């Protein structure tokens, strides 16, 4: 309650401040007096949220945009930093991985990375959609800006942007030769080197590249293997060739490469071993998993962008891309030395995408229409080594093997057009009506093979003995959906934009990649038919209908920018994946696991977001100094209206479908998020060099977060705050830059994900001998020294 009162008070103060500033602006203009603030506006960043360049103020979408320099000034290292500054947004490293992304915006997302499940938040690199979450924890280097669009973006961005979209935009090349060298040294032996450069080729072309080696020792140790836990060993690179054959055309061929050789990430047991009695470790970053084996990610992609101006009104754009990702992970679920719930998994994926856009711009109409096509494959075999018992008599251990092979073939037609009604009808104010829609055809073909075997599968070098096949499924279905969008934006002045909007998001259905076809129920006491098995494995699409009212404003000649949005969303047919222990032999002991993915029901999500960037004063203590403030507050009230699941009767053992909405919560969605960034810039001269020093203090807050739909006293993360401090000096001509960045200064221990195969009180296991109640944590306190030279 204290948090709620504090945040509500903060919002009230911010709104009151906005109103007061508006009044002050009018007074200044009326009296011709000068404000205490000089005419230095907050930087205006051009965005492409609506597939055309415009200022953020003009976009009737709740969004946050961060420039590459702003991210560098606070020492942000990858896109998971965004959860600290963007309201109602969760971006985390997925459990047991070093580079797989879990993303939620406004209560909508997905954390299961297995082939067959799709993300709820779209991640884009230069408008190329990343179809899989592996390798999507993008390191921040050589980036121009990152845009975070909140709410369904189904019309302009298509499938799987049901919660929102994150756009990672790299820099276009300059017209002069340039080289940039950046180095980082920090806690846990952090040692990074980033080198980038570009040079023109003649008068119309340029070539550029960037390479980054990012390294760090572990935050903890695997006490069984002796390896670092939570270390980092990454090599990443980008290259591009740009050609401007005419004034009205632009062609860019780009490529990127990523390789992660970090060690397996071991979880921290929150309960003692139920079989061995192994105690809970003191250091949350230490682990005891005994699993060894190959662990790496290698990904690469190429893209070709072409922009061609047909005339002053029309532009044609083509985006062609191909990507591949190979990922091998070792995940020790019980985090103990014995072989029990040890998982070796492969995630191989490839995708080809083609998008055509036709853009039109005039004084009264602006819009885009286009076609999008994606063909993708995700292949994921994995071993779940359940028991070590067999090795005691010289036999291999029990393995619950799964092989998933998912093909996606999707296409869509879309259009979004904005009409300046004020110009059409001769009105004095700016009134814009935007209408859009997208038709999507999403075909999913899935092959699921589940087998109980002795020994490792052939994919991990074994020659197993097959005991039983528990799933052998091959199915396909096409899901279609039309997703509309409409908004009305009114600008009573050039610095105020009041809008209302409706948008719909869509995520296609599929087939449970961990489902056991042998558990499919028949009808009327008969064995299951093929149709019964198909329906048992299938889950349908989910949709979100979102309503939003927002106000974007610039005050005091742009020295203060504010953005306020209220939203209400109907979230229906929600896909909820999960796994439970399953007994396939009838002996009462779980000998494998089973997927339990369902379209659980419906939820209502409502809330608000407020953001402000303000220059509070200039020349306060010294000539030319400046004090600025950036704040963000987010509130989400999310809850299930219906959650249908099978519930067992403890007296009879029979199960029946029940609505347990009052016992379920929306995962990875804290009710409150908040951020404040106070920055002081001071012109200084060091060693005869003119420059500017910045002191940046930041605070971020997240209220209680549930890791899964079922609350857990062990795994759920209570509310917490993070405090950061940065000191940056930059020479006046930007030749040199030095920074010192302290992150999580209070060394807060906070959970970001976890695994559970145990009863809620942790007293009994639901799969395996020891019980699983393991957590993974965000980074501890780190201090990083950075330096950059620009040639």
């Amino acid at each position: 309650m204290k948090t709620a009162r504090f945040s509500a008070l903060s919002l009230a103060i911010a709104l009151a401040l906005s109103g007061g500033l508006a009044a002050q602006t009018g007074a200044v203009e009326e009296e011709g007096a000068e404000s205490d603030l000089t005419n230095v506006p907050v930087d205006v960043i051009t965005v492409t949220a609506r597939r055309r360049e415009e200022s953020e103020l003009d976009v009737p979408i709740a969004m946050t945009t961060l420039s590459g320099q702003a991210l560098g000034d606070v020492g942000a290292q990858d896109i998971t930093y965004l959860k600290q500054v963007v309201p109602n947004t969760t971006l985390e490293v997925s459990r047991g991985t070093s580079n797989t992304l879990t993303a939620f915006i406004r209560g909508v997302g997905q954390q299961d990375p297995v082939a067959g499940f799709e993300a709820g938040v779209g991640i884009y690199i230069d408008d190329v959609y990343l179809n899989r979450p592996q390798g999507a924890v993008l390191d921040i280097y050589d980036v121009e800006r990152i845009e975070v669009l909140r709410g369904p973006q189904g019309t302009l961005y298509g499938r799987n942007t049901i919660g929102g979209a994150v756009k990672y935009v790299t820099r276009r090349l300059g017209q002069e030769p340039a080289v940039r060298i950046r180095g980082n040294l920090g806690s846990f032996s952090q040692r990074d080197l980033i080198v980038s450069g570009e040079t023109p080729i003649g008068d119309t072309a340029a070539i550029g590249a960037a390479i980054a080696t990012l390294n760090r020792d572990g935050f903890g140790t695997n006490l069984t293997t002796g390896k670092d836990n939570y270390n980092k060993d990454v090599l990443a690179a980008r290259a591009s060739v740009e050609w401007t054959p005419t004034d009205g055309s632009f062609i860019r061929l780009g490529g990127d490469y990523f390789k992660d050789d970090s060690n397996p990430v071991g979880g921290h047991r929150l309960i003692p071993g139920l079989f061995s009695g192994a105690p809970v470790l003191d250091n949350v970053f230490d682990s005891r998993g005994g699993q060894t084996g190959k662990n790496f990610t290698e990904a690469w992609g190429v893209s070709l962008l072409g922009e061609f101006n047909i005339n002053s009104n029309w532009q044609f754009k083509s985006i062609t891309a191909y990507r591949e990702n190979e990922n091998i992970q070792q995940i020790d679920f019980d985090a103990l030395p014995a072989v029990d719930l040890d998982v070796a998994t492969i995630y191989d994926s490839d995708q080809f995408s083609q998008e055509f856009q036709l853009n039109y711009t005039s004084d009264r109409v602006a819009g885009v229409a286009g076609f999008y096509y994606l063909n993708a494959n995700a292949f994921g075999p994995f071993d779940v080594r359940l028991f070590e018992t067999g090795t005691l008599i010289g036999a291999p251990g029990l393995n619950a093997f799964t092989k998933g092979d998912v093909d996606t073939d999707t296409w869509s037609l879309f259009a979004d057009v904005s009409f300046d009604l004020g110009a059409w009808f001769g009105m004095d104010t700016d009134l814009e009506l935007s209408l859009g829609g997208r038709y999507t055809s999403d075909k999913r073909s899935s092959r699921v093979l589940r087998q109980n075997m002795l020994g490792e599968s052939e994919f991990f070098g074994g020659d197993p003995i097959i005991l039983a096949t528990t799933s052998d499924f091959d199915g396909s279905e096409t899901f279609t959906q039309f997703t509309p969008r409409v908004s009305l934006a009114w600008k009573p002045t050039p610095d105020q934009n009041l809008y209302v909007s409706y948008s719909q998001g869509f995520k296609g259905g599929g087939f449970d990649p961990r489902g056991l076809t042998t558990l499919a129920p028949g009808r009327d006491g008969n064995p299951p038919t093929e149709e019964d098995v198909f329906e048992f494995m299938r889950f349908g699409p989910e949709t979100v209908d979102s309503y939003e009212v927002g106000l974007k404003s610039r005050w005091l000649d742009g020295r203060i920018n504010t953005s306020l949005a209220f939203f209400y969303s109907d979230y229906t047919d929600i896909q909820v994946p999960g796994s439970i222990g399953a007994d396939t032999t009838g002996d009462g002991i779980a000998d494998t696991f089973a997927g339990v993915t369902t379209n659980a029901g419906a939820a209502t999500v409502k809330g608000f977001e407020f953001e402000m960037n303000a220059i509070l004063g200039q020349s306060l203590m010294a000539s030319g100094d400046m004090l600025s403030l950036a704040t963000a507050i987010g509130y989400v009230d999310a809850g299930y209206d219906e959650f249908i699941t099978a519930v067992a009767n403890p007296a009879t053992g029979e199960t029946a479908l029940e609505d347990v909405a009052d016992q379920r919560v929306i995962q990875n969605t804290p009710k409150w998020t908040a951020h404040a960034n106070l920055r002081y810039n001071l012109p200084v001269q060091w060693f005869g060099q003119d420059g500017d020093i910045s002191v940046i203090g930041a605070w971020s807050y997240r209220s209680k977060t549930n890791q899964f739909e079922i609350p857990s006293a062990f795994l759920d993360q209570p509310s917490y705050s993070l405090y950061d401090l940065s000191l940056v000096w930059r020479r006046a001509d930007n030749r040199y830059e030095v920074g010192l960045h302290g992150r999580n200064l209070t060394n807060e221990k906070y959970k970001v994900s976890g695994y559970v195969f145990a009863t809620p009180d942790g007293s009994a296991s639901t799969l395996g001998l020891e019980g699983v109640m393991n957590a993974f944590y965000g980074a501890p306190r780190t201090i990083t020294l950075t330096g950059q030279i620009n040639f």
Side-chain angles (χ1 to χ4, degrees):
M1 292 300 295
K2 289 183 179 179
T3 301
R5 287 196 295 268
F6 166 76
S7 300
L9 178 61
S10 300
L11 178 61
I13 292 172
L15 291 174
L17 175 63
S18 297
L21 289 170
Q24 184 179 347
T25 303
V28 169
E29 292 175 351
E30 190 174 358
E31 297 170 12
E34 230 178 86
S35 165
D36 291 337
L37 306 181
T38 58
N39 295 318
V40 182
V42 173
D43 289 340
V44 177
I45 299 178
T46 299
V47 298
T48 55
R50 293 197 289 181
R51 302 293 185 131
R52 59 180 183 264
E53 292 188 351
E54 53 191 337
S55 78
E56 191 173 334
L57 176 72
D58 295 331
V59 180
I61 297 172
M63 64 180 299
T64 301
T65 306
L66 297 167
S67 68
Q69 180 171 311
L71 291 165
D73 284 352
V74 296
Q77 299 193 18
D78 60 54
I79 65 171
T80 62
Y81 169 78
L82 299 177
K83 73 175 184 294
Q84 292 185 221
V85 297
V86 181
N88 295 334
T89 298
T90 296
L91 296 174
E92 304 283 11
V93 179
S94 296
R95 51 197 179 176
T97 76
S98 58
N99 57 61
T100 300
L101 184 68
T102 293
F104 281 75
I105 295 178
R106 292 181 176 177
V108 181
Q110 172 62 263
Q111 72 161 310
D112 199 318
V114 176
F117 297 127
E118 301 289 320
V121 174
I123 308 297
Y124 294 80
I125 300 179
D126 293 330
D127 281 336
V128 175
Y129 172 66
L130 304 186
N131 191 54
R132 302 302 303 157
Q134 287 80 25
V137 178
L138 304 176
D139 291 294
I140 295 172
Y141 71 99
D142 205 42
V143 61
E144 178 184 296
R145 69 182 185 277
I146 297 178
E147 302 175 14
V148 182
L149 316 181
R150 298 186 293 276
Q153 306 299 321
T155 297
L156 287 173
Y157 293 90
R159 60 190 290 276
N160 304 344
T161 57
I162 188 169
V166 178
K167 299 182 61 178
Y168 187 103
V169 183
T170 62
R171 294 186 314 104
R172 289 198 174 182
L173 303 179
Q175 300 301 313
E176 299 290 335
V179 175
R180 295 169 292 278
I181 302 174
R182 184 179 183 89
N184 304 325
L185 295 173
S187 305
F188 304 99
S189 299
Q190 178 186 357
R191 51 213 180 275
D192 303 336
L193 179 63
I194 303 166
V195 180
S196 60
E198 60 212 49
T199 185
I201 303 175
D203 296 330
T204 61
I207 185 171
I211 186 169
T213 173
L214 311 171
N215 305 273
R216 184 193 65 232
D217 291 348
F219 301 144
T221 303
N222 185 310
L223 303 180
T224 300
T225 65
K227 292 184 177 181
D228 285 352
N229 201 27
Y230 292 90
N231 76 318
K232 186 169 187 174
D233 184 359
V234 166
L235 175 68
R238 296 195 195 100
S240 62
V241 178
E242 297 179 358
W243 181 36
T244 309
T246 67
D247 289 340
S249 60
F250 175 81
I251 298 172
R252 183 191 203 189
L253 175 64
D256 62 88
Y257 176 81
F258 172 83
K259 188 172 188 210
D260 186 353
D261 284 317
S262 304
N263 296 333
V265 181
H268 173 71
R269 288 188 64 89
L270 302 174
I271 59 174
L274 300 181
F275 180 76
S276 65
V280 175
L281 297 176
D282 293 332
N283 186 349
V284 300
F285 296 106
D286 285 346
S287 191
R288 284 174 296 203
Q291 188 165 357
T292 59
K294 207 171 190 179
N295 195 87
F296 80 97
T297 300
E298 188 171 27
W300 62 272
V302 293
S303 63
L304 178 64
L305 167 69
E307 297 176 344
F308 307 95
N309 293 339
I310 301 171
N311 55 40
S312 60
N313 300 114
W314 292 94
Q315 182 194 66
F316 173 76
K317 179 186 288 189
S318 171
I319 306 170
T320 308
Y322 178 80
R323 301 192 64 82
E324 283 191 8
N325 187 309
E326 182 182 4
N327 183 291
I328 299 178
Q329 291 178 354
Q330 309 293 331
I331 306 173
D332 197 317
F333 273 59
D334 71 351
L336 289 173
V339 177
D340 186 24
L341 286 183
D342 289 6
V343 176
T345 181
I346 295 174
Y347 300 107
D348 279 355
S349 64
D350 60 75
Q351 64 176 85
F352 168 80
S353 61
Q354 175 64 60
E355 182 167 2
F356 297 118
Q357 298 177 18
L358 188 62
N359 291 272
Y360 177 80
T361 303
S362 68
D363 293 337
R364 297 186 177 186
V365 179
V368 60
F371 169 80
Y372 178 79
Y373 174 75
L374 172 74
N375 180 270
N377 173 263
F379 178 71
F382 59 92
D383 287 359
V384 180
R385 297 152 194 170
L386 288 171
F387 301 115
E388 193 178 36
T389 308
T391 62
L392 300 178
I393 58 173
L398 180 64
N399 177 11
F401 170 74
T402 299
K403 182 175 72 174
D405 194 355
V406 181
D407 289 320
T408 298
D409 198 71
T410 182
W411 62 269
S412 59
L413 294 169
F414 63 91
D416 187 87
V417 184
S418 300
F419 303 92
D420 187 346
L421 300 184
W424 279 98
F425 296 106
M427 303 167 63
D428 293 333
T429 59
D430 189 350
L431 185 65
E432 179 192 84
L433 174 66
S434 293
L435 300 173
R438 189 183 195 105
Y439 177 82
T440 300
S441 174
D442 190 24
K443 182 180 180 181
R444 194 68 45 80
S445 302
S446 183
R447 172 86 163 90
V448 180
L449 177 66
R450 298 284 311 275
Q451 292 175 320
N452 288 348
M453 58 180 62
L454 294 178
E456 297 180 355
S457 70
E458 59 180 317
F459 295 96
F460 301 97
D463 184 15
I465 301 171
I466 308 299
L467 300 178
T469 297
T470 55
S471 278
D472 191 357
F473 175 81
D474 194 348
S476 178
E477 185 165 353
T478 299
F479 306 93
T480 61
Q481 184 78 16
F482 176 76
T483 51
R485 186 180 188 281
V486 59
S487 68
L488 185 65
W490 174 49
K491 297 181 70 174
T493 73
D495 292 331
Q496 312 286 326
N497 187 2
L498 176 65
Y499 68 89
V500 295
S501 69
Y502 162 77
S503 60
Q504 185 179 84
F506 157 77
K507 184 166 76 172
F511 303 94
D512 194 326
R514 289 185 290 248
L516 288 180
T517 56
T518 50
L519 297 183
R523 285 174 284 185
D524 301 324
N526 296 314
T529 64
E530 289 188 6
E531 181 182 352
D532 294 331
V533 171
F534 184 90
E535 290 301 320
F536 177 75
M537 296 289 288
R538 177 190 180 276
F539 56 88
E542 64 178 26
T543 58
V544 168
D545 292 278
S546 182
Y547 308 84
E548 186 170 306
V549 178
L551 174 63
K552 297 185 177 185
S553 305
R554 288 167 57 86
W555 315 95
L556 296 176
D557 297 323
R559 293 188 292 275
I560 295 179
N561 291 342
T562 59
S563 177
L564 176 65
F566 294 91
F567 60 89
Y568 178 94
S569 300
D570 285 325
Y571 191 9
T572 56
D573 295 323
I574 304 168
Q575 299 168 4
V576 181
S579 295
I580 60 172
D583 172 20
T584 63
T585 61
D587 61 3
I589 299 175
D591 53 30
T592 187
F593 62 94
V596 288
T597 303
T598 58
N599 292 95
T604 298
V605 184
K606 55 184 182 290
F608 69 81
E609 293 137 358
F610 176 79
E611 296 175 278
M612 179 175 71
N613 291 279
I615 295 175
L616 301 181
Q618 193 169 23
S619 298
L620 299 173
M621 293 182 286
S623 177
D625 71 357
M626 186 167 65
L627 182 67
S628 59
L629 174 68
T631 63
I633 299 172
Y635 172 76
V636 174
D637 180 10
Y640 282 101
D641 303 316
E642 180 183 69
F643 196 112
I644 305 299
T645 190
V647 177
N649 185 324
T652 64
E654 297 180 351
T655 60
L657 294 179
E658 292 186 14
D659 185 356
V660 294
D662 59 341
Q663 303 170 38
R664 298 294 187 266
V665 294
I666 302 294
Q667 63 162 285
N668 282 290
T669 304
K671 188 177 288 288
W672 289 97
T673 55
H675 176 75
N677 177 309
L678 190 64
R679 177 171 183 149
Y680 178 68
N681 289 358
L682 176 67
V684 295
Q685 188 178 73
W686 280 1
F687 305 106
Q689 303 290 325
D690 291 331
D692 187 270
I693 191 168
S694 301
V695 181
I696 308 167
W699 163 78
S700 59
Y701 171 82
R702 296 174 73 84
S703 63
K704 180 180 178 180
T705 304
N706 299 100
Q707 304 295 348
F708 299 102
E709 282 74 20
I710 299 177
S712 169
F714 291 96
L715 282 176
D716 293 342
Q717 172 59 43
S719 60
Y720 68 96
S721 293
L722 297 179
Y723 298 89
D724 301 336
L725 182 64
S726 293
L727 182 68
V728 180
W729 176 80
R730 185 176 288 111
R731 203 170 83 166
D733 61 359
N734 287 325
R735 178 71 181 274
Y736 303 113
E737 175 187 318
V738 178
L740 184 64
H741 309 281
R743 303 286 308 279
N744 188 9
L745 292 176
T746 60
N747 206 25
E748 182 75 24
K749 303 294 190 299
Y750 58 99
K751 307 180 192 81
V752 297
S753 59
Y755 287 113
V756 56
F757 283 103
T759 54
D761 62 359
S763 63
S765 174
T766 58
L767 183 62
L769 300 175
E770 300 282 6
V772 175
M773 192 74 76
N774 298 348
F776 299 85
Y777 288 78
R781 176 174 51 235
T782 59
I783 307 296
T784 303
L785 176 67
T786 66
Q788 181 165 321
I789 303 176
N790 301 318
F791 297 98

